[in-house]
Amino acid sequence: MHPEGKVDRSKPLICEFCKSDSVIFDNVSFEYVCSACGCVSSQDPNSDSMTNFRANSGYNDRTRTGMPESLAIHNKGLSTLIGIGDTDARGKALEPSQKNSIQRLRTWNNRAQLNDSVSRNLEKALKLLNNFGDKLYLSQAVIEGAAYIYRKAAIKKLAKGRSTLGLVGAALYAACRETATPKTITDIATACNITTKDIMSHYKLILKELSLQMPVLHGPDYVTLICNRLQLSEKTKREALRIFSMVQQNRISIGKNPRALAGSIIYLASQNCNEFLRQVEICQVAEISTVSLRKRCKEIKSKVEL
Protein backbone atom coordinates (compact mmCIF):
# COMPACT_ATOMS: atom_id res chain seq x y z
CA MET A 1 0.00 0.00 0.00
CA HIS A 2 1.40 3.37 -1.01
CA PRO A 3 1.36 6.30 1.47
CA GLU A 4 -1.13 8.11 -0.81
CA GLY A 5 -3.67 5.32 -0.19
CA LYS A 6 -3.41 3.72 -3.66
CA VAL A 7 -3.12 -0.01 -4.14
CA ASP A 8 0.15 -1.30 -5.50
CA ARG A 9 -0.98 -3.86 -8.08
CA SER A 10 2.51 -5.41 -8.25
CA LYS A 11 2.05 -6.85 -4.75
CA PRO A 12 -0.89 -9.14 -3.84
CA LEU A 13 -3.27 -8.06 -1.08
CA ILE A 14 -3.01 -9.95 2.22
CA CYS A 15 -6.13 -11.03 4.09
CA GLU A 16 -6.30 -9.42 7.54
CA PHE A 17 -7.74 -12.57 9.14
CA CYS A 18 -6.21 -15.70 7.60
CA LYS A 19 -3.09 -13.88 6.28
CA SER A 20 -3.42 -15.52 2.84
CA ASP A 21 -2.69 -13.73 -0.42
CA SER A 22 -5.91 -14.93 -2.15
CA VAL A 23 -7.82 -11.63 -1.89
CA ILE A 24 -9.95 -10.91 -4.94
CA PHE A 25 -12.22 -8.03 -6.00
CA ASP A 26 -15.98 -8.70 -6.21
CA ASN A 27 -17.43 -6.80 -9.18
CA VAL A 28 -20.99 -7.12 -7.83
CA SER A 29 -20.50 -5.69 -4.33
CA PHE A 30 -17.37 -3.59 -5.14
CA GLU A 31 -15.49 -5.12 -2.18
CA TYR A 32 -12.25 -7.00 -1.62
CA VAL A 33 -13.06 -10.57 -0.47
CA CYS A 34 -10.74 -13.33 0.62
CA SER A 35 -11.43 -16.44 -1.46
CA ALA A 36 -9.95 -18.65 1.27
CA CYS A 37 -11.94 -17.62 4.35
CA GLY A 38 -14.66 -15.41 2.83
CA CYS A 39 -13.87 -12.36 4.97
CA VAL A 40 -14.39 -8.89 3.51
CA SER A 41 -11.41 -6.55 3.57
CA SER A 42 -11.64 -3.19 5.32
CA GLN A 43 -10.51 -1.47 2.11
CA ASP A 44 -12.93 1.40 1.38
CA PRO A 45 -14.90 0.54 -1.83
CA ASN A 46 -15.40 4.26 -2.55
CA SER A 47 -11.74 5.21 -2.31
CA ASP A 48 -9.58 6.39 -5.20
CA SER A 49 -7.86 3.02 -5.37
CA MET A 50 -11.17 1.24 -5.96
CA THR A 51 -12.14 3.76 -8.61
CA ASN A 52 -8.82 3.26 -10.40
CA PHE A 53 -9.19 -0.51 -10.15
CA ARG A 54 -12.68 -0.38 -11.72
CA ALA A 55 -11.40 1.86 -14.51
CA ASN A 56 -8.47 -0.48 -15.21
CA SER A 57 -10.63 -3.58 -15.11
CA GLY A 58 -13.20 -2.08 -17.49
CA TYR A 59 -16.07 -2.42 -15.00
CA ASN A 60 -17.69 1.02 -14.86
CA ASP A 61 -21.28 0.13 -14.01
CA ARG A 62 -22.04 2.17 -10.88
CA THR A 63 -25.74 1.27 -10.64
CA ARG A 64 -27.26 0.07 -7.38
CA THR A 65 -30.10 -2.41 -7.00
CA GLY A 66 -32.58 -2.92 -4.21
CA MET A 67 -36.00 -1.96 -2.97
CA PRO A 68 -36.79 1.79 -3.02
CA GLU A 69 -37.58 3.65 0.17
CA SER A 70 -41.29 3.51 1.01
CA LEU A 71 -43.40 5.13 3.72
CA ALA A 72 -45.87 2.24 3.49
CA ILE A 73 -43.33 -0.06 5.22
CA HIS A 74 -42.82 0.45 8.94
CA ASN A 75 -39.00 0.56 8.58
CA LYS A 76 -39.21 2.34 5.18
CA GLY A 77 -37.46 -0.64 3.58
CA LEU A 78 -34.07 0.37 4.98
CA SER A 79 -33.64 -2.11 7.82
CA THR A 80 -31.18 -4.97 7.99
CA LEU A 81 -32.42 -8.54 7.75
CA ILE A 82 -30.61 -11.63 8.98
CA GLY A 83 -31.84 -14.61 6.99
CA ILE A 84 -33.09 -17.85 8.55
CA GLY A 85 -30.59 -20.04 6.72
CA ASP A 86 -27.73 -21.50 8.77
CA THR A 87 -25.16 -21.41 5.97
CA ASP A 88 -22.38 -19.03 5.05
CA ALA A 89 -21.84 -17.21 1.74
CA ARG A 90 -20.41 -20.31 0.11
CA GLY A 91 -23.34 -22.52 1.17
CA LYS A 92 -21.33 -24.31 3.85
CA ALA A 93 -23.17 -25.20 7.06
CA LEU A 94 -22.24 -23.15 10.12
CA GLU A 95 -20.68 -24.68 13.18
CA PRO A 96 -22.91 -25.11 16.28
CA SER A 97 -21.24 -22.22 18.10
CA GLN A 98 -21.71 -19.96 15.10
CA LYS A 99 -25.36 -21.03 14.81
CA ASN A 100 -26.03 -19.90 18.37
CA SER A 101 -24.33 -16.57 17.75
CA ILE A 102 -26.30 -15.93 14.56
CA GLN A 103 -29.58 -16.87 16.26
CA ARG A 104 -28.79 -14.48 19.10
CA LEU A 105 -28.00 -11.71 16.60
CA ARG A 106 -31.19 -12.46 14.69
CA THR A 107 -33.28 -12.18 17.87
CA TRP A 108 -31.77 -8.89 18.97
CA ASN A 109 -32.02 -7.48 15.46
CA ASN A 110 -35.78 -8.08 15.47
CA ARG A 111 -36.12 -6.59 18.95
CA ALA A 112 -34.12 -3.50 18.03
CA GLN A 113 -36.40 -2.73 15.08
CA LEU A 114 -39.58 -2.79 17.22
CA ASN A 115 -38.27 -1.36 20.47
CA ASP A 116 -41.11 1.10 21.19
CA SER A 117 -44.90 1.28 21.02
CA VAL A 118 -44.94 3.59 17.97
CA SER A 119 -42.85 1.17 15.92
CA ARG A 120 -45.01 -1.79 16.90
CA ASN A 121 -48.18 0.13 16.07
CA LEU A 122 -46.77 1.22 12.70
CA GLU A 123 -45.87 -2.36 11.78
CA LYS A 124 -49.43 -3.54 12.45
CA ALA A 125 -51.20 -0.51 10.93
CA LEU A 126 -49.16 -0.31 7.72
CA LYS A 127 -49.76 -4.00 6.99
CA LEU A 128 -53.49 -3.36 7.29
CA LEU A 129 -53.18 -0.24 5.16
CA ASN A 130 -51.48 -2.12 2.32
CA ASN A 131 -54.09 -4.90 2.48
CA PHE A 132 -56.99 -2.43 2.33
CA GLY A 133 -55.28 -0.51 -0.49
CA ASP A 134 -55.10 -3.72 -2.53
CA LYS A 135 -58.77 -4.46 -1.86
CA LEU A 136 -59.78 -0.99 -3.06
CA TYR A 137 -57.41 -1.11 -6.07
CA LEU A 138 -55.68 2.08 -4.94
CA SER A 139 -52.52 3.32 -6.62
CA GLN A 140 -49.17 3.32 -4.81
CA ALA A 141 -49.29 7.12 -4.62
CA VAL A 142 -52.53 6.99 -2.60
CA ILE A 143 -51.14 4.30 -0.29
CA GLU A 144 -47.95 6.32 0.27
CA GLY A 145 -50.07 9.40 1.07
CA ALA A 146 -52.18 7.43 3.55
CA ALA A 147 -49.02 6.03 5.18
CA TYR A 148 -47.61 9.56 5.52
CA ILE A 149 -50.82 10.77 7.20
CA TYR A 150 -50.89 7.76 9.56
CA ARG A 151 -47.23 8.29 10.50
CA LYS A 152 -47.97 11.89 11.45
CA ALA A 153 -50.93 10.72 13.54
CA ALA A 154 -48.83 8.03 15.25
CA ILE A 155 -46.06 10.51 16.09
CA LYS A 156 -48.68 12.76 17.72
CA LYS A 157 -49.88 9.76 19.80
CA LEU A 158 -53.34 9.81 18.20
CA ALA A 159 -53.34 6.01 17.90
CA LYS A 160 -53.00 5.53 21.65
CA GLY A 161 -56.25 4.17 23.08
CA ARG A 162 -58.05 4.33 19.73
CA SER A 163 -59.05 1.82 17.09
CA THR A 164 -56.21 1.06 14.68
CA LEU A 165 -58.72 0.02 12.00
CA GLY A 166 -60.60 3.29 12.34
CA LEU A 167 -57.44 5.38 12.11
CA VAL A 168 -56.19 3.41 9.09
CA GLY A 169 -59.55 3.84 7.35
CA ALA A 170 -59.53 7.58 8.11
CA ALA A 171 -55.99 7.92 6.70
CA LEU A 172 -57.04 6.10 3.53
CA TYR A 173 -60.10 8.31 3.13
CA ALA A 174 -58.02 11.46 3.68
CA ALA A 175 -55.47 10.31 1.07
CA CYS A 176 -58.27 9.61 -1.42
CA ARG A 177 -59.67 13.09 -0.85
CA GLU A 178 -56.24 14.69 -1.30
CA THR A 179 -55.56 12.88 -4.57
CA ALA A 180 -59.15 13.20 -5.87
CA THR A 181 -59.47 9.40 -6.02
CA PRO A 182 -63.12 8.43 -6.52
CA LYS A 183 -63.65 6.40 -3.35
CA THR A 184 -66.46 7.10 -0.92
CA ILE A 185 -66.36 6.58 2.80
CA THR A 186 -68.75 3.62 2.35
CA ASP A 187 -66.25 1.89 0.07
CA ILE A 188 -63.48 2.27 2.64
CA ALA A 189 -65.73 1.18 5.51
CA THR A 190 -66.69 -1.97 3.58
CA ALA A 191 -63.03 -2.82 2.88
CA CYS A 192 -62.01 -2.20 6.51
CA ASN A 193 -65.10 -4.03 7.86
CA ILE A 194 -66.04 -1.17 10.20
CA THR A 195 -68.83 1.41 10.29
CA THR A 196 -68.77 4.70 8.43
CA LYS A 197 -69.42 6.45 11.74
CA ASP A 198 -66.16 5.04 13.16
CA ILE A 199 -64.16 6.20 10.14
CA MET A 200 -65.76 9.66 10.17
CA SER A 201 -65.00 10.22 13.85
CA HIS A 202 -61.32 9.35 13.31
CA TYR A 203 -61.28 11.41 10.10
CA LYS A 204 -62.49 14.51 11.96
CA LEU A 205 -59.83 13.88 14.62
CA ILE A 206 -57.09 13.71 11.96
CA LEU A 207 -58.27 16.92 10.29
CA LYS A 208 -58.30 18.74 13.62
CA GLU A 209 -55.02 17.50 15.10
CA LEU A 210 -52.92 17.48 11.90
CA SER A 211 -54.45 20.68 10.45
CA LEU A 212 -55.09 19.07 7.07
CA GLN A 213 -56.74 21.11 4.32
CA MET A 214 -58.84 18.82 2.16
CA PRO A 215 -59.98 19.86 -1.34
CA VAL A 216 -63.72 20.11 -1.76
CA LEU A 217 -65.37 17.95 -4.41
CA HIS A 218 -67.46 20.04 -6.79
CA GLY A 219 -70.60 19.09 -8.68
CA PRO A 220 -68.92 17.91 -11.91
CA ASP A 221 -66.72 15.58 -9.84
CA TYR A 222 -69.82 13.90 -8.38
CA VAL A 223 -71.41 13.66 -11.82
CA THR A 224 -68.32 11.94 -13.25
CA LEU A 225 -67.98 9.66 -10.22
CA ILE A 226 -71.60 8.45 -10.28
CA CYS A 227 -71.57 8.00 -14.07
CA ASN A 228 -68.43 5.86 -13.87
CA ARG A 229 -69.91 3.68 -11.15
CA LEU A 230 -73.11 3.19 -13.11
CA GLN A 231 -71.03 2.40 -16.22
CA LEU A 232 -72.99 4.84 -18.37
CA SER A 233 -72.12 5.66 -21.96
CA GLU A 234 -69.93 8.59 -22.89
CA LYS A 235 -72.92 10.28 -24.56
CA THR A 236 -74.87 10.26 -21.29
CA LYS A 237 -71.85 11.62 -19.37
CA ARG A 238 -71.49 14.56 -21.75
CA GLU A 239 -75.21 15.26 -21.61
CA ALA A 240 -75.12 15.21 -17.79
CA LEU A 241 -72.22 17.69 -17.74
CA ARG A 242 -74.07 19.93 -20.21
CA ILE A 243 -77.18 19.93 -18.00
CA PHE A 244 -75.05 20.65 -14.94
CA SER A 245 -73.53 23.74 -16.58
CA MET A 246 -77.08 24.99 -17.34
CA VAL A 247 -78.06 24.33 -13.70
CA GLN A 248 -75.10 26.38 -12.50
CA GLN A 249 -75.99 29.25 -14.83
CA ASN A 250 -79.51 29.34 -13.36
CA ARG A 251 -78.02 29.25 -9.81
CA ILE A 252 -80.08 26.20 -8.86
CA SER A 253 -77.11 24.42 -7.28
CA ILE A 254 -76.66 26.97 -4.48
CA GLY A 255 -77.34 25.39 -1.09
CA LYS A 256 -78.23 21.97 -2.53
CA ASN A 257 -76.75 18.59 -1.68
CA PRO A 258 -74.21 18.02 -4.51
CA ARG A 259 -74.81 14.26 -4.58
CA ALA A 260 -78.58 14.66 -4.86
CA LEU A 261 -78.13 17.30 -7.56
CA ALA A 262 -75.68 15.12 -9.50
CA GLY A 263 -77.97 12.08 -9.24
CA SER A 264 -80.98 13.99 -10.54
CA ILE A 265 -78.96 15.45 -13.42
CA ILE A 266 -77.73 11.98 -14.40
CA TYR A 267 -81.28 10.63 -14.33
CA LEU A 268 -82.49 13.44 -16.61
CA ALA A 269 -79.51 12.95 -18.94
CA SER A 270 -80.21 9.21 -19.21
CA GLN A 271 -83.80 9.99 -20.24
CA ASN A 272 -82.62 12.44 -22.91
CA CYS A 273 -80.16 9.86 -24.29
CA ASN A 274 -82.70 7.00 -24.19
CA GLU A 275 -80.59 5.00 -21.73
CA PHE A 276 -82.75 3.05 -19.31
CA LEU A 277 -81.79 3.80 -15.71
CA ARG A 278 -83.83 3.28 -12.57
CA GLN A 279 -84.01 5.86 -9.81
CA VAL A 280 -83.18 3.23 -7.19
CA GLU A 281 -79.87 2.43 -8.89
CA ILE A 282 -78.81 6.08 -8.84
CA CYS A 283 -79.89 6.52 -5.22
CA GLN A 284 -77.87 3.49 -4.10
CA VAL A 285 -74.70 4.73 -5.79
CA ALA A 286 -75.15 8.41 -4.79
CA GLU A 287 -76.25 7.43 -1.25
CA ILE A 288 -79.37 9.61 -1.34
CA SER A 289 -83.10 8.97 -1.00
CA THR A 290 -85.55 8.70 -3.87
CA VAL A 291 -87.50 11.63 -2.38
CA SER A 292 -84.47 13.94 -2.73
CA LEU A 293 -83.89 12.71 -6.28
CA ARG A 294 -87.46 13.40 -7.40
CA LYS A 295 -87.52 16.79 -5.70
CA ARG A 296 -84.31 17.91 -7.45
CA CYS A 297 -85.56 16.59 -10.82
CA LYS A 298 -88.81 18.52 -10.46
CA GLU A 299 -86.93 21.72 -9.57
CA ILE A 300 -84.53 21.39 -12.52
CA LYS A 301 -87.33 20.73 -15.01
CA SER A 302 -89.25 23.80 -13.82
CA LYS A 303 -86.29 26.19 -14.33
CA VAL A 304 -84.20 24.66 -17.16
CA GLU A 305 -85.35 23.85 -20.66
CA LEU A 306 -83.97 20.41 -21.43
Side-chain angles (χ1 to χ4, degrees):
M1 185 75 70
H2 285 295
E4 293 83 0
K6 295 185 178 181
V7 178
D8 186 2
R9 303 304 301 169
S10 61
K11 296 181 180 179
L13 293 176
I14 305 300
C15 178
E16 301 172 359
F17 297 93
C18 66
K19 305 303 179 182
S20 67
D21 57 354
S22 55
V23 177
I24 60 175
F25 180 71
D26 187 357
N27 287 332
V28 177
S29 61
F30 295 133
E31 293 175 328
Y32 284 117
V33 182
C34 178
S35 60
C37 65
C39 294
V40 179
S41 175
S42 60
Q43 174 69 35
D44 184 11
N46 295 320
S47 63
D48 294 338
S49 59
M50 298 291 283
T51 304
N52 295 335
F53 181 78
R54 292 192 211 108
N56 295 332
S57 61
Y59 193 90
N60 295 319
D61 187 6
R62 303 173 68 87
T63 59
R64 297 290 186 272
T65 59
M67 182 179 176
E69 184 178 348
S70 174
L71 292 173
I73 305 175
H74 73 281
N75 52 29
K76 298 183 181 180
L78 300 176
S79 67
T80 56
L81 178 65
I82 302 177
I84 59 175
D86 291 328
T87 58
D88 58 13
R90 293 174 292 178
K92 185 179 178 181
L94 298 176
E95 297 180 359
S97 60
Q98 292 176 321
K99 285 184 180 180
N100 294 332
S101 300
I102 293 298
Q103 181 59 38
R104 196 158 50 247
L105 288 173
R106 190 182 294 120
T107 301
W108 281 107
N109 182 56
N110 293 333
R111 290 176 180 174
Q113 292 179 11
L114 304 173
N115 57 352
D116 54 46
S117 60
V118 175
S119 299
R120 289 190 290 270
N121 179 264
L122 279 177
E123 184 192 26
K124 176 185 176 182
L126 294 179
K127 284 181 180 178
L128 293 173
L129 191 146
N130 283 285
N131 290 337
F132 298 151
D134 292 339
K135 284 184 180 179
L136 294 167
Y137 301 102
L138 298 177
S139 64
Q140 189 61 30
V142 178
I143 296 177
E144 291 284 335
Y148 176 71
I149 293 172
Y150 190 91
R151 283 177 180 274
K152 290 175 66 176
I155 291 173
K156 281 206 167 189
K157 306 291 185 181
L158 299 183
K160 189 174 183 180
R162 294 187 174 89
S163 169
T164 303
L165 280 175
L167 206 59
V168 168
L172 278 171
Y173 182 62
C176 290
R177 289 287 301 272
E178 278 188 336
T179 56
T181 303
K183 295 294 180 183
T184 63
I185 194 169
T186 305
D187 297 334
I188 297 175
T190 303
C192 299
N193 197 22
I194 54 178
T195 62
T196 56
K197 183 178 179 180
D198 193 8
I199 292 181
M200 187 53 67
S201 63
H202 286 86
Y203 176 68
K204 291 178 180 178
L205 176 70
I206 286 176
L207 292 183
K208 180 181 177 181
E209 296 295 332
L210 303 183
S211 302
L212 299 178
Q213 298 294 330
M214 291 296 161
V216 179
L217 286 177
H218 300 286
D221 298 326
Y222 283 106
V223 171
T224 305
L225 173 62
I226 296 173
C227 285
N228 291 336
R229 296 198 171 184
L230 292 171
Q231 298 180 353
L232 300 179
S233 63
E234 189 65 27
K235 181 181 178 181
T236 305
K237 293 180 187 178
R238 292 181 180 275
E239 178 66 15
L241 292 174
R242 186 186 70 82
I243 296 175
F244 189 87
S245 64
M246 296 170 63
V247 168
Q248 282 185 319
Q249 291 175 3
N250 287 272
R251 303 177 66 84
I252 304 175
S253 59
I254 298 176
K256 304 295 190 302
N257 183 354
R259 287 180 297 175
L261 195 65
S264 61
I265 289 172
I266 291 171
Y267 180 69
L268 295 174
S270 65
Q271 287 183 330
N272 291 348
C273 298
N274 297 322
E275 187 169 355
F276 178 74
L277 191 63
R278 294 186 303 167
Q279 293 182 355
V280 178
E281 297 177 8
I282 299 176
C283 293
Q284 288 177 348
V285 174
E287 298 177 5
I288 57 175
S289 64
T290 54
V291 176
S292 299
L293 181 69
R294 296 190 188 107
K295 189 175 181 180
R296 295 284 84 82
C297 287
K298 184 178 180 181
E299 185 177 3
I300 292 172
K301 285 181 178 180
S302 63
K303 296 183 179 181
V304 177
E305 294 183 3
L306 301 178

